[in-house]
Amino acid sequence: MSSSVRRLIMASLSNTLSLKHGLSLWCPQSAPLNRIHKGSCSFPSRSFRRCFTVSASSFANENREFVIVGGGNAAGYAAKTFVEHGMANGKLCIVSKEAYAPYERPALTKAYLFPLDKKPARLPGFHTCVGSGGERQTPDWYKEQGIEMLYEDPVANVDIEKQTLTTNSGKLLKYGSLIIATGCSASRFPDKIGGNLPGVHYIRDVADADSLISSLEKAKKVVVVGGGYIGMEVAAATSGWKLDTTVIFPEDHLMPRLFTSSLGQKYEKLYQDYGVKFVKGTSIKNLEAGSDGHVSGVKLQNGSTIEADTVVIGIGAKPAVVPFEKIGLNSTVGGIQVDGQFRTSIPGIFAIGDVAAFPLKMYNRISRVEHVDHARRSAQHCVKSLLTAHTDTYDYLPYFYSRVFEYEGSPRKVWWQFFGDNVGETVEIGNFDPKVATFWIDSGKLKGVLLESGTAEEFQLLPKLARSQPSVDKAKLQNASSVEEALEIARASLQDIEISRSVTTLGYEDRPDFSVSLSSGSRMALKVVLKFDLKDGQFKQNFIEKVLSLLKLHVEERDRIEVVRKAIAKHPGTHSIEWIAKEMLLIAIVRDIDAVLMVRKLRKSYGYAHLVSVAQAKVLEEEENEK
C-alpha cells in the first residue's frame, strides 16, 4: 500500500471517529470576550467512504482530494501545513472570493492605512505567513507547490451526498475532505438608513481598504462608527492623515468587551492628544446624503448631526456561513459548530478560523474567536488532525492585541497585548507613560492580563501567567509602585506553581512523612535550580528530588552538609564549577541561609553566570535588591 493511500485512509478514519465521551460543555453566564453559548454538542459517528480517484497535479477533471473554501489567514496557514506534510501538490484546491492569495488581514486596518508618505504596507509584503515569521506565500508559491487557486469565484452551492461544490462561475468541484475557512463578513448599516451611500466604507478585504484610501485622499472630515478594534485602528490611521476625525459609539468607553472603564479612558486621552474627538453613549439614527448623493453627515438619535465626507463603519462582524447553513451544519451557536479537532457534524467537513464555534478547553465553554492568532493555530491543528494520527483536542489560550500610531513621525507608538479571560476583579498598575498593566483576578487566581508597551520579555510572560492561572496576592499587586514590580509579583506566583508542580511530579505531596514546609531560603534555592539551563532534564529532576529528600532528614546540620558533599563526590563525570555551585545550593537549603548571601556566593566564587541565562540572572538580581 502506498504512503499516499495510507494517509488518505488515516485521514478518513480520523474524521469518522466518535468522541470518547461525547462533548458536553458548560458555559459561564458572563462572557465579555468571545461569543459564547450554553449547552452541549454532539458529533455523530458516521462512517463514509471516498469514492473517487485523486486527480493528477494538472487537475484534469473535477476531483479534488482536499478543498478549502475561503482565501483568508486560515486558508494560507492550512495550505502551509498541507505542504509540510507533503499532501498539497496535485491534491489541494483553495476557492476564494478575493482577487489575491491569502494575506495577513490585520494589516488592512493598521499599516495598510498609513499616510501615503509614511511607507504604508502593500502586497505582496504581507501575504501569509509573514505575520508569524514564516515564508511569504505569494501567488507563485501556490503554483510551485501544486496548489490550485480559484480567485474571485466563491462557492454558491454544496451537495453533501455527492460531495460536490459549485462556484458562482458554474465550476464543479468534487471533494474528499472539505475545510470551511470563510471567516466573517462586516456587519453593515441597512440601505434605508444610508448604509451604502457613496463615501460609506466597511473594511474586510484589500478592495475595501483601497476604496477607503481613495476617499481619504480627498477627505476633510471623517466619522468612525464603533469603539472596538476597527474604530480604534482606523481613527489612529486617519489622525496620521491629519484629518478631522470623530469616533461615535454607544458605550461609555472604548473597547468595552475588553477594556475596563479606567483603561478605556486612558486610551481616549491619548487619542484626543492626536486630535481625535469622541461622541460616546449615543446611537445613530441615519446617515445623510448631500445634493450629489454622497454621504454628508451622521445624524444621531438626539437630533444632532456631525458633518462627514467619509464614514467608516466598524460595528463588528458576522460569521460567513452561507451557503453552508443549508446543508445541516449547526450554526446556532454563533458560528459553525465543531469539536476539538475542528470536525463538524458532517463527516468529511471541517471548519476553522473565525467561522468556527469550538470548545474552548481551558474555560470549558463553546466560543467563536475572531482573531488572526486563532485563525493560524486552528488551521494548523485541523490539517494536522486530518492528515495524521494526531488526536489532541485544540487547547487555545485567548489572545488579543493591537498596534497603532506606528507610522513614521508618530510621537508615540501604541502596542498592547492581552492573554486569558477578562473575568473577576481588576487591578490596574501604571500611569500610561508609556506602560500600563491590568490584571483580572477571580477567586484569588490570575485569569487574564493586559500590558501596554511592554518589553519582549514582559510580553512573553503574559501567556504563561494566563495559562497557569497562579494564585496572586491582590493587595500586594495593588501596592506595586510600577508595572515592572507588579509583573515580578505575578512572576513569583508563577514560580511558586513551578515548584509545586515539581513536588507533585516527584510524588512527595502524597507521602505522610513529608511534613517539612519550604522556608524562604529553600524556595529561593529551588527557584534557582528550576532556572538552570541544563541539557539533561532527568538530572535536573533527580537533583530536585535529592533536595527534597534532604529536607526530610532529622539529623544535625553539619551531618546534613556532609551527606550532601558525599553524595556529590560520588557522582561520576562531574564538572567542578557546576557541582560546587550545586553543592552550595544544597547547603543553602538544608541550612536555610540567607538567600542574598547564597546568590552572592554563587555569583562571586563559583561561576554563577555560567549556569543561568542573562535574563534569569536579572530576575534574581532584582529579587536580591528588593531584599
Side-chain angles (χ1 to χ4, degrees):
M1 183 183 296
S2 69
S3 63
S4 62
V5 173
R6 283 198 300 271
R7 283 178 174 170
L8 187 58
I9 292 173
M10 186 175 291
S12 175
L13 289 173
S14 171
N15 193 260
T16 57
L17 289 174
S18 61
L19 298 178
K20 290 182 178 179
H21 305 292
L23 185 61
S24 179
L25 300 173
W26 168 81
C27 168
Q29 294 291 333
S30 175
L33 276 182
N34 307 312
R35 298 176 181 271
I36 300 167
H37 302 268
K38 295 182 180 180
S40 62
C41 60
S42 60
F43 296 87
S45 175
R46 293 168 52 187
S47 62
F48 75 101
R49 197 159 48 104
R50 295 190 176 99
C51 52
F52 64 88
T53 302
V54 178
S55 64
S57 60
S58 60
F59 292 106
N61 54 43
E62 72 274 14
N63 295 338
R64 307 292 184 273
E65 186 167 347
F66 307 106
V67 174
I68 300 173
V69 178
N73 274 94
Y77 282 83
K80 174 179 181 287
T81 312
F82 274 110
V83 169
E84 290 171 346
H85 286 80
M87 295 294 285
N89 194 344
K91 299 177 175 66
L92 176 62
C93 174
I94 298 177
V95 184
S96 176
K97 69 177 182 179
E98 295 202 42
Y100 304 92
Y103 52 85
E104 304 285 359
R105 199 174 300 277
L108 295 181
T109 53
K110 297 180 177 68
Y112 202 86
L113 296 183
F114 284 1
L116 301 182
D117 61 344
K118 304 294 185 183
K119 298 181 180 179
R122 292 292 183 267
L123 289 173
F126 58 97
H127 280 297
T128 57
C129 299
V130 296
S132 61
E135 182 180 1
R136 182 180 290 108
Q137 298 170 191
T138 64
D140 286 342
W141 180 88
Y142 290 90
K143 292 177 183 177
E144 293 166 1
Q145 302 300 332
I147 299 171
E148 183 183 24
M149 295 292 299
L150 301 183
Y151 296 107
E152 299 182 277
D153 197 10
V155 169
N157 188 56
V158 185
D159 187 326
I160 61 172
E161 297 301 325
K162 296 180 180 179
Q163 290 181 229
T164 60
L165 304 171
T166 306
T167 68
N168 273 1
S169 68
K171 189 174 184 66
L172 182 69
L173 301 172
K174 190 172 181 66
Y175 65 84
S177 292
L178 172 64
I179 299 177
I180 303 169
T182 46
C184 291
S185 58
S187 297
R188 306 176 72 92
F189 275 9
D191 285 347
K192 65 181 180 180
I193 67 168
N196 288 312
L197 288 173
V200 176
H201 298 272
Y202 306 84
I203 302 182
R204 201 65 203 176
D205 55 33
V206 169
D208 293 337
D210 286 343
S211 177
L212 174 58
I213 290 169
S214 179
S215 286
L216 293 179
E217 290 181 281
K218 304 182 289 286
K220 294 181 179 179
K221 294 189 175 184
V222 178
V223 168
V224 180
V225 180
Y229 275 101
I230 300 298
M232 288 186 69
E233 294 180 352
V234 171
T238 58
S239 73
W241 288 71
K242 307 299 183 185
L243 298 174
D244 183 317
T245 301
T246 302
V247 183
I248 305 172
F249 49 90
E251 298 85 7
D252 64 358
H253 62 84
L254 281 173
M255 289 286 290
R257 290 175 60 193
L258 177 58
F259 289 177
T260 62
S261 177
S262 173
L263 188 61
Q265 289 170 14
K266 285 181 170 61
Y267 281 97
E268 288 168 21
K269 175 62 169 61
L270 175 66
Y271 274 68
Q272 288 167 345
D273 292 343
Y274 278 84
V276 176
K277 293 170 286 188
F278 292 99
V279 177
K280 303 184 290 184
T282 187
S283 55
I284 293 170
K285 184 175 182 180
N286 62 275
L287 306 181
E288 296 184 334
S291 58
D292 59 355
H294 194 278
V295 68
S296 62
V298 179
K299 188 169 185 178
L300 306 180
Q301 288 291 354
N302 62 14
S304 63
T305 299
I306 299 175
E307 291 184 16
D309 49 42
T310 299
V311 176
V312 184
I313 310 295
I315 55 173
K318 300 178 294 185
V321 297
V322 178
F324 301 100
E325 82 278 22
K326 301 176 183 177
I327 62 175
L329 294 177
N330 181 15
S331 60
T332 63
V333 290
I336 295 175
Q337 189 168 4
V338 296
D339 66 6
Q341 293 174 300
F342 297 96
R343 300 175 294 191
T344 70
S345 56
I346 299 177
I349 300 181
F350 303 77
I352 58 176
D354 292 4
V355 76
F358 64 97
L360 193 54
K361 182 179 178 181
M362 68 181 299
Y363 299 129
N364 196 28
R365 67 193 188 216
I366 299 174
S367 182
R368 188 175 67 79
V369 175
E370 297 173 15
H371 196 267
V372 62
D373 181 63
H374 164 63
R376 294 166 181 163
R377 294 177 185 273
S378 63
Q380 294 164 336
H381 191 96
C382 173
V383 175
K384 186 177 179 182
S385 297
L386 172 61
L387 298 181
T388 72
H390 173 77
T391 58
D392 292 342
T393 296
Y394 185 58
D395 189 9
Y396 184 67
L397 174 66
Y399 162 53
F400 299 93
Y401 80 96
S402 187
R403 302 178 69 154
V404 293
F405 298 115
E406 291 194 307
Y407 47 81
E408 285 187 354
S410 172
R412 173 175 172 179
K413 295 173 173 58
V414 170
W415 182 15
W416 59 262
Q417 293 186 25
F418 169 86
F419 287 88
D421 205 9
N422 60 336
V423 295
E425 302 175 281
T426 58
V427 174
E428 184 180 297
I429 303 296
N431 296 318
F432 208 58
D433 56 354
K435 292 184 180 181
V436 65
T438 303
F439 302 86
W440 280 263
I441 302 170
D442 191 32
S443 301
K445 291 188 177 296
L446 183 61
K447 293 292 188 178
V449 58
L450 181 147
L451 176 62
E452 165 64 48
S453 298
T455 65
E457 182 184 1
E458 288 169 343
F459 279 140
Q460 290 168 6
L461 175 64
L462 304 189
K464 297 176 183 178
L465 292 171
R467 188 169 287 282
S468 297
Q469 300 181 36
S471 297
V472 293
D473 187 330
K474 180 183 173 184
K476 196 172 182 180
L477 268 183
Q478 289 173 324
N479 291 328
S481 60
S482 66
V483 170
E484 290 81 3
E485 182 182 350
L487 290 173
E488 283 307 314
I489 292 170
R491 189 197 302 270
S493 300
L494 187 64
Q495 291 171 338
D496 289 344
I497 285 184
E498 291 177 343
I499 293 171
S500 299
R501 285 176 178 167
S502 297
V503 171
T504 301
T505 301
L506 295 167
Y508 281 102
E509 79 288 350
D510 293 328
R511 299 186 186 181
D513 57 342
F514 186 62
S515 56
V516 179
S517 297
L518 296 181
S519 59
S520 59
S522 303
R523 297 177 79 83
M524 169 61 89
L526 274 177
K527 287 178 184 179
V528 175
V529 174
L530 289 167
K531 287 180 180 296
F532 273 165
D533 186 18
L534 297 177
K535 294 181 179 180
D536 188 347
Q538 184 58 49
F539 171 72
K540 184 176 178 178
Q541 283 295 93
N542 292 342
F543 179 65
I544 295 174
E545 184 167 9
K546 188 179 292 182
V547 169
L548 294 172
S549 298
L550 288 168
L551 287 172
K552 292 172 50 183
L553 296 177
H554 298 288
V555 295
E556 293 296 325
E557 179 182 291
R558 59 187 178 186
D559 295 328
R560 294 190 190 184
I561 296 173
E562 187 63 26
V563 168
V564 173
R565 286 179 173 157
K566 287 181 179 179
I568 292 176
K570 289 180 181 179
H571 194 282
T574 61
H575 298 284
S576 58
I577 293 179
E578 288 193 6
W579 276 93
I580 292 173
K582 291 179 177 66
E583 179 183 3
M584 285 300 302
L585 281 175
L586 287 169
I587 293 171
I589 290 174
V590 297
R591 294 176 60 184
D592 194 22
I593 66 171
D594 182 82
V596 176
L597 178 61
M598 177 191 72
V599 173
R600 282 178 181 165
K601 285 188 176 182
L602 287 172
R603 183 181 293 114
K604 184 176 180 180
S605 304
Y606 302 109
Y608 171 81
H610 296 289
L611 302 177
V612 210
S613 70
V614 174
Q616 293 162 340
K618 182 180 178 182
V619 170
L620 288 174
E621 179 71 36
E622 290 170 352
E623 291 184 6
E624 177 182 333
N625 291 337
E626 287 176 5
K627 291 179 179 295

